[in-house]
Amino acid sequence: MSKFSVIGTRVRNVDGPEKVTGAAKFTFDVTLPNMLWARVLRSPHPHAKILDIDTSKAERLAGVKGVVTGKDTLGRKTGIWRRFPEFCDEEILCRTKVRYIGDPVAAVAAIDEDTAEEALDLIEVEYEPLKAVFDPMEAIKEDAPVIHDGVDLNINATRHIEWGDVDEAFKRCDHVREDRFYCSPQAHVCMETHNTVSSFGPDGKMTVYAATQSSYYTQALMAGMLGLRESDVRVIKPHVGGGWGSKFELDSTQFCSGLLSMKLGRPVKIVLTREEEFTATKRRTPMYYNVKLGASRDGALLAKEVRVITEGGAYTSMGPTTLYLTGFFSSFPYRFPNYRYDGYRAYTNTAPTSAMRGFGAPQATFVMESQLDMIAEDLGIDPVAIRRLNMMTPNYEVPGQAYIQSCGVLQCLGEIERYVKRRGQLPPNHGIGLSAYGFVSGGIFNWFDTPYAFSAAIVRINIDGKVDLYTGACDIGQGSNTTLSMICAEELGVRLEDVRIIAADTGTCPPDLGAWASRETLMNGNAVKMAAAEAKRQLLEVAAAKMGSNIVYDLDIKDRWIHIANRPERGLSYFDVVKDAIRGKEGQAIMGRGHYTPHRKGMISPAYSFGVQAVEVSVDPETGKVKLLNAVTSHDSGTVINPVGCDGQLEGAISMAGGYGFCEDQPMDNGKLLNPSIGDYKLIRALDMPETEILVVDTWEPEGPFGAKEAGEGLTTPTAGAIGNAIAKAVGVRITDLPITPEKVLNAIKHKEEKGSTTARR
Amino acid sequence: MKQELKLTINGQLYDLFVKPKTLLVEVIRRELGLTGTKRACESGSCGACTVILNGMAVKSCSVLALQADGGQVQTIEGLATGTKFHPVQEAFMDEGAFQCGFCTPGMLMSAKALLDENPKPTKQQIKEAIDGNVCRCTGYNSIVRAITSVVNGKYEERK
């Protein structure tokens, strides 16, 4: 029997009744009295000077209430890097120069969206087009155009990671491979496009309804850019229709609605069109990888050297962190004694690239897992055996980088090995590819230089025993409202239905850095657990006094029953004790406070999830068409708090990660995106989705609440590599650039038949 | 020039005046404030705006409001009977067949239209019925499981 009463049970999502009836309100559904609608005018040029902007015709259009340009801003530059001003390089509206097709230059507020749209055509912008550069390999050349003044060779950021003696180790290797890989861009495709309603009131305070992954960052950055006091900006996060990293950073959507609302004194709503969502929000970072991998004859990995150049796009955004993490994850999940990484992020005249579910790890894992199969084949070693020989183990230190406590990756490999054996002999042109991975459970990054705790929570117990849980955690669909309510109910010893969560409203909830790097379960979960424990202690004080039991007896609460821990039949009703406790405090509610900031856990994350995935594909050798048949995953999330939510995260990630591997792409022509619509951007639909199976591995993470760690992003990392490895098994060709389209597979098959070569390049 | 539009939505007759180019989704969301129906692609390719018009699942962003004149429309707000959930709503909650919930109203209406027309669809028919509905969160399999559990009669006694 489980030692838990709430954790690990299959419960309905606490937001379910609202979400299945259409009652759930998203920012998209928010309308305020007297509200105006706004649209943003964007640059049609990839790189140009702004010589003049004439808004007079637009302002005269009936129904237009106001137009803003860069002149109406405070002239500040923004970015998530409050501590590093050189990385804050984005303007609310460009004042002197545009750097990609989609850069914002003006915004119009009108009585309705059609009028605002019509007014955009009446704004006259005089541009002087400049030479543009789109490919990062071209951008870093001496004669490339300068995108940001003072940035040499357009190199926005560099990152270096090194341990051991790599050069010496390569000399000792029996076999060394050098390969190149290309990792393509990917769009988040949130079903709810970025949108915001800002309402600046006569009291000088602003209320913002935002589709955001961090109410707190939205509050702080809007205040900073608009010249308001932080606490005078109240950010309310309604339900959010998907984020995956794209709704973590701010852009003209939030800032322009705020700017226009301050100018006009009316609520202003901006909803990005689907085309804007594709062209003018951030996206997954394209990367060029050069990798040298060395092993001994028996398959022990001795050294790895990685050089990466990433396409940064026009601005910094979260790019330098993606650059660091792709280097960090390029060693995962293996014990490399010698390792060196050098990453360069180049500015280009394309839409900025940044964080997307996996945060640099999907690229690293595609490269690692592809090349590992390649070197295993060279050495005549089985893919399972080479992984088993080199995998991380519990209590492993990534030298100078990270301390890994729980690590179930070897158990995961065992589960997958058994699955592959069960699957047995495959039909012709079918193949199963393996891919192993690890991921962070929250990031120990404080770009924002916040003095607040990373996560905080308040638990209040009311007279009827109902528990109000206040947290800044942002549920963007991943289910943190449910998971955190379960943690609260478990710790306090009540039922899930006793907990009401109030989340992500900066006017009432304690600050939390938000939903990114898979941090809510571990980081906010720890804060919630601490707050609930604090409230519970107050109840137990009262109960102990009432029961008059010997001081050596510990009290506990389970399922609303306060009892002596080892004599559960002796106890009191939770509800009675709550009433007495509140009476004893002269009517004050019982309150518990909790917080969490990782300490002494290295510089990346307090804990790491792991897993191994097997993907079975069939390949049509006549057309190169790949079909995903089965994706079987063994994932180590530590204790699973919310099994329905966890399964949903793992299964859902496969659709996004599978799309990254074989169909999603963003082709451009001179900086212009060619497929900015859901019809043209090929993503996985119901008929394309493989069968999925999740094999549970049980571990305990000492740093996590009740032993839990992440389940949100880890599984977006292995699938592309597994698909590549499966295709190699099925038809004997190796594709080293993403996405693995039918055209590439077919060309590789033809090339192989003609030349006997097995590697195809773009 | 606005024209008269008579539309029955979730059993209630509305008499409205709309511009000829107004889309059905805008009448539902903006004129009537039934914001459960979503809009996500503006090109008829995501299914978030799916409603049932005269018994058929349609994308309400691809239908002019006046084309639906005199018609019967069912939106997500009309799926439950009072506070009693429809079986597909129960099943979606049990199977975790939604996450962010933005595609969910359209997905549920596609599922309902399928089951109204064919109470015993195969797995392939279920997938075909929701292939026009994009869900970026769930990977669809939990949705297929949810609809399958309704087909298998799990919620029959509650009907």
Side-chain angles (χ1 to χ4, degrees), chain A residues 370-384:
Chain A
S370 297
Q371 202 183 26
L372 189 59
D373 262 29
M374 290 154 85
I375 207 165
E377 191 182 338
D378 294 346
L379 295 166
I381 300 173
D382 177 71
V384 171

Side-chain angles (χ1 to χ4, degrees), chain A residues 458-504:
Chain A
I458 297 170
V459 162
R460 185 180 72 187
I461 306 177
N462 300 306
I463 197 78
D464 61 346
K466 190 94 182 181
V467 180
D468 292 332
L469 168 59
Y470 293 87
T471 162
C474 289
D475 193 324
I476 55 171
Q478 87 280 33
S480 60
N481 282 350
T482 305
T483 301
L484 296 173
S485 297
M486 291 175 84
I487 289 172
C488 180
E490 183 71 47
E491 180 66 25
L492 204 49
V494 295
R495 295 183 188 168
L496 184 57
E497 72 220 48
D498 295 328
V499 179
R500 181 177 76 115
I501 187 163
I502 301 102

Side-chain angles (χ1 to χ4, degrees), chain B residues 48-129:
Chain B
C49 63
T50 303
V51 298
I52 298 177
L53 171 62
N54 300 331
M56 271 175 50
V58 299
K59 290 169 180 170
S60 61
C61 79
S62 304
V63 178
L64 292 172
L66 289 169
Q67 286 178 303
D69 190 27
Q72 294 276 343
V73 177
Q74 226 184 350
T75 71
I76 184 68
E77 287 87 351
L79 188 54
T81 310
T83 54
K84 191 172 151 63
F85 294 119
H86 186 276
V88 287
Q89 291 172 312
E90 299 273 4
F92 267 52
M93 287 190 282
D94 282 343
E95 294 295 332
F98 60 88
Q99 286 173 30
C100 84
F102 202 79
C103 77
T104 309
M107 196 68 84
L108 283 164
M109 297 319 282
S110 287
K112 162 134 199 319
L114 167 72
L115 295 175
D116 285 349
E117 193 191 321
N118 176 8
K120 295 283 172 198
T122 62
K123 192 171 181 181
Q124 179 69 14
Q125 286 169 329
I126 292 171
K127 287 184 176 184
E128 283 166 5

Side-chain angles (χ1 to χ4, degrees), chain B residues 3-21:
Chain B
Q3 294 178 27
E4 190 179 13
L5 168 70
K6 285 188 173 163
L7 209 53
T8 304
I9 300 187
N10 302 328
Q12 173 69 48
L13 178 68
Y14 293 91
D15 196 350
L16 305 158
F17 283 87
V18 300
K19 290 181 188 167
K21 68 168 201 173

Side-chain angles (χ1 to χ4, degrees), chain A residues 392-703:
Chain A
M392 288 175 177
T393 47
N395 304 311
Y396 172 71
E397 181 184 352
V398 183
Q401 300 285 318
Y403 304 97
I404 289 163
Q405 297 189 78
S406 65
C407 173
V409 71
L410 278 164
Q411 293 101 292
C412 293
L413 185 67
E415 291 286 342
I416 291 299
E417 186 180 29
R418 280 189 285 282
Y419 161 75
V420 174
K421 279 187 184 147
R422 278 201 305 276
R423 187 73 186 86
Q425 186 72 32
L426 299 179
N429 299 319
H430 282 232
I432 293 179
L434 301 192
S435 185
Y437 61 95
F439 200 69
V440 297
S441 304
I444 310 179
F445 325 123
N446 195 7
W447 312 280
F448 211 56
D449 198 19
T450 180
Y452 286 124
F454 277 25
S455 284
I458 297 170
V459 162
R460 185 180 72 187
I461 306 177
N462 300 306
I463 197 78
D464 61 346
K466 190 94 182 181
V467 180
D468 292 332
L469 168 59
Y470 293 87
T471 162
C474 289
D475 193 324
I476 55 171
Q478 87 280 33
S480 60
N481 282 350
T482 305
T483 301
L484 296 173
S485 297
M486 291 175 84
I487 289 172
C488 180
E490 183 71 47
E491 180 66 25
L492 204 49
V494 295
R495 295 183 188 168
L496 184 57
E497 72 220 48
D498 295 328
V499 179
R500 181 177 76 115
I501 187 163
I502 301 102
D505 174 348
T506 64
T508 51
C509 303
D512 179 277
L513 301 193
W516 52 271
S518 299
R519 61 187 295 289
E520 298 290 31
T521 297
L522 187 142
M523 292 196 178
N524 208 283
N526 275 328
V528 168
K529 187 168 184 287
M530 182 178 179
E534 166 65 22
K536 179 179 177 179
R537 189 185 56 75
Q538 295 171 47
L539 292 183
L540 295 187
E541 284 171 4
V542 174
K546 274 175 74 98
M547 290 170 75
S549 51
N550 191 302
I551 59 163
V552 301
Y553 288 124
D554 292 318
L555 295 184
D556 199 2
I557 315 178
K558 287 266 183 205
D559 195 23
R560 303 169 171 172
W561 179 243
I562 301 182
H563 58 275
I564 295 170
N566 52 6
R567 287 194 188 166
E569 72 284 359
R570 285 183 56 189
L572 299 164
S573 152
Y574 160 79
F575 295 103
D576 293 343
V577 174
V578 166
K579 280 187 195 130
D580 284 343
I582 291 177
R583 221 185 291 275
K585 284 178 183 285
E586 293 196 348
Q588 299 178 80
I590 310 292
M591 299 264 277
R593 299 195 304 170
H595 63 93
Y596 178 79
T597 297
H599 291 286
R600 294 169 184 257
K601 294 291 172 296
M603 53 193 288
I604 312 289
S605 177
Y608 297 82
S609 69
F610 291 94
V612 180
Q613 184 171 74
V615 173
E616 180 180 344
V617 304
S618 66
V619 183
D620 180 345
E622 300 296 318
T623 62
K625 199 157 187 265
V626 175
K627 189 151 179 50
L628 305 186
L629 300 172
N630 298 297
V632 180
T633 313
S634 184
H635 186 80
D636 158 26
S637 292
T639 301
V640 176
I641 305 275
N642 172 11
V644 174
C646 184
D647 286 356
Q649 286 294 296
L650 300 177
E651 262 186 0
I654 292 166
S655 70
M656 190 174 271
Y660 179 59
F662 94 133
C663 58
E664 296 183 34
D665 201 4
Q666 296 196 297
M668 289 191 193
D669 180 20
N670 286 323
K672 188 171 175 58
L673 186 66
L674 298 178
N675 59 347
S677 73
I678 288 184
D680 292 329
Y681 184 88
K682 298 296 173 207
L683 35 69
I684 287 186
R685 289 171 181 262
L687 287 167
D688 313 311
M689 186 68 190
E691 295 295 317
T692 49
E693 189 180 345
I694 310 293
L695 305 168
V696 178
V697 159
D698 192 25
T699 66
W700 178 272
E701 170 54 48
E703 187 67 11

Side-chain angles (χ1 to χ4, degrees), chain A residues 201-242:
Chain A
D203 56 358
K205 297 186 174 98
M206 180 100 87
T207 303
V208 181
Y209 295 85
T212 179
Q213 294 177 230
S214 175
S215 307
Y216 167 59
Y217 279 38
T218 304
Q219 175 192 33
L221 287 173
M222 281 190 78
M225 289 301 281
L226 299 173
L228 296 170
R229 255 178 101 157
E230 207 167 286
S231 299
D232 284 345
V233 179
R234 178 183 179 189
V235 176
I236 298 167
K237 179 207 71 72
H239 292 292
V240 176

Side-chain angles (χ1 to χ4, degrees), chain A residues 15 22 193 204-205 222 255 288 330 332 385 392 467 490 667 717 729 759:
Chain A
D15 297 323
T193 62
K205 297 186 174 98
M222 281 190 78
F255 291 129
Y288 291 89
S330 280
F332 261 63
M392 288 175 177
V467 180
E490 183 71 47
T717 69
K729 293 268 186 213
T759 302

